[in-house]
């Protein structure tokens, strides 16, 4: 069964450093989502792509976060510089165009020291 | 702004018991409601999706109901098993011009053998 791939699974960094996360959606899925999940909370949407275009990045802290999906396939989420409050699980999900079911990857657990 | 609340925050039951998880949302103008399961340190797995025009959906031992007008949903788990232990998240798909999933904080379920 096809799955959403994410790497790395775990990342420990010091504050002010740069970090990057990678996501490879299920083949053929046009829509890609990045979520942030703080411990004990539900996921919160950071950015949504339709193919290579950003559909919604209203909750993305644009002073330090950036996301790209250059060829409309895999995607990278970057944080520069990382802050202590960025410690969270970063989840990637994908869905087929016109459908509502999102398939989630295993996530990247970020710890900022 | 859509807000989703889940009660209880945690629930512990003996194996074999039937149980109900509750979800409420503030804006009834939803497109659909989804229930997810999350195992510790893992991504989310979609369990059930109820369209706004539907009243319930069933999958195996799981039954989800939706009362859109009152802003409520329940997830019923029959004959619980230790393997059902996980966090269950409710999410609503809403937002007017750009739909997105808004999640609750989840209910942590423990089924004791």
């Amino acid at each position: 069964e096809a799955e959403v791939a994410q790497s790395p699974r775990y990342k420990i960094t010091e504050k002010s450093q740069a970090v990057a996360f990678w996501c490879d959606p299920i083949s053929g899925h046009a829509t890609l989502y990045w979520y942030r999940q703080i411990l004990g909370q539900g996921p919160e949407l950071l950015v949504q792509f339709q193919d290579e275009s950003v559909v919604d990045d209203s909750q993305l802290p644009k002073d330090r976060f950036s996301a790209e999906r250059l060829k409309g396939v895999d995607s990278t989420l970057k944080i520069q510089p990382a802050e202590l409050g960025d410690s969270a699980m970063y989840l990637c999900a994908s869905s087929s165009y016109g459908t509502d079911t999102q398939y989630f990857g295993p996530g990247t657990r970020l710890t900022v020291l | 702004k859509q807000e989703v609340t889940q009660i209880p925050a945690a629930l512990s039951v003996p194996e074999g018991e039937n149980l109900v998880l509750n979800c409420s949302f503030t804006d009834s103008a939803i497109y659909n409601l989804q229930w997810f399961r999350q195992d510790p340190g893992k991504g989310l797995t979609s369990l059930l999706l109820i369209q706004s025009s539907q009243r319930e959906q069933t999958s195996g031992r799981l039954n989800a109901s939706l009362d859109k007008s009152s802003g409520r949903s329940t997830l019923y788990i029959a004959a619980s098993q230790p393997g059902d232990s996980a966090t269950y998240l409710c999410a609503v798909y809403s937002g007017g011009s750009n739909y997105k999933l808004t999640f609750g904080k989840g209910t942590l379920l423990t089924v004791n053998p």
Side-chain angles (χ1 to χ4, degrees):
Chain A
E1 182 175 309
E3 296 180 340
V4 176
Q6 289 189 248
S7 68
R9 293 292 311 279
Y10 306 93
K11 179 70 177 179
I12 300 174
T13 190
E14 294 184 345
K15 64 179 182 178
S16 80
Q17 295 297 304
V19 292
F21 313 131
W22 176 80
C23 173
D24 191 12
I26 292 173
S27 179
H29 280 194
T31 310
L32 185 147
Y33 313 81
W34 283 102
Y35 290 88
R36 177 170 60 184
Q37 185 178 23
I38 296 170
L39 191 64
Q41 307 286 319
E44 177 186 31
L45 180 69
L46 291 176
V47 61
Q48 176 182 343
F49 289 93
Q50 183 67 39
D51 298 312
E52 65 274 12
S53 300
V54 174
V55 174
D56 184 352
D57 64 356
S58 57
Q59 300 301 310
L60 188 71
K62 299 182 186 62
D63 57 334
R64 298 185 299 108
F65 286 64
S66 63
E68 60 182 16
R69 193 184 184 199
L70 292 176
K71 296 183 179 179
V73 181
D74 58 341
S75 176
T76 302
L77 178 68
K78 298 179 181 178
I79 308 175
Q80 182 173 18
E83 296 181 351
L84 296 178
D86 296 331
S87 294
M89 175 78 88
Y90 290 83
L91 295 162
C92 179
S94 69
S95 64
S96 296
Y97 183 74
T99 67
D100 303 325
T101 301
Q102 296 184 23
Y103 297 86
F104 283 78
T108 296
R109 168 71 67 185
L110 173 66
T111 301
V112 182
L113 303 176
Chain B
K1 178 184 176 184
Q2 181 73 267
E3 293 184 1
V4 179
T5 302
Q6 291 189 245
I7 295 173
L11 181 64
S12 181
V13 300
E15 181 177 3
E17 193 162 294
N18 302 326
L19 59 100
V20 174
L21 308 181
N22 297 289
C23 171
S24 62
F25 46 95
T26 54
D27 185 352
S28 61
I30 65 169
Y31 185 65
N32 64 47
L33 182 143
Q34 303 182 36
W35 284 93
F36 292 86
R37 168 185 173 139
Q38 186 173 31
D39 292 290
K42 302 290 182 61
L44 279 65
T45 301
S46 179
L47 297 174
L48 290 164
L49 185 154
I50 311 177
Q51 299 292 352
S52 61
S53 58
Q54 298 176 317
R55 297 284 292 183
E56 65 179 297
Q57 278 286 344
T58 298
S59 176
R61 294 182 293 108
L62 305 180
N63 176 276
S65 68
L66 173 64
D67 184 342
K68 195 176 107 168
S69 61
S70 67
R72 297 177 186 272
S73 175
T74 62
L75 178 66
Y76 174 83
I77 302 177
S80 59
Q81 303 171 357
D84 294 332
S85 298
T87 296
Y88 290 81
L89 293 154
C90 170
V92 295
Y93 212 53
S94 62
S97 60
N98 187 37
Y99 286 100
K100 66 179 181 182
L101 279 176
T102 302
F103 286 84
K105 294 182 179 181
T107 293
L108 175 61
L109 174 65
T110 302
V111 182
N112 301 300

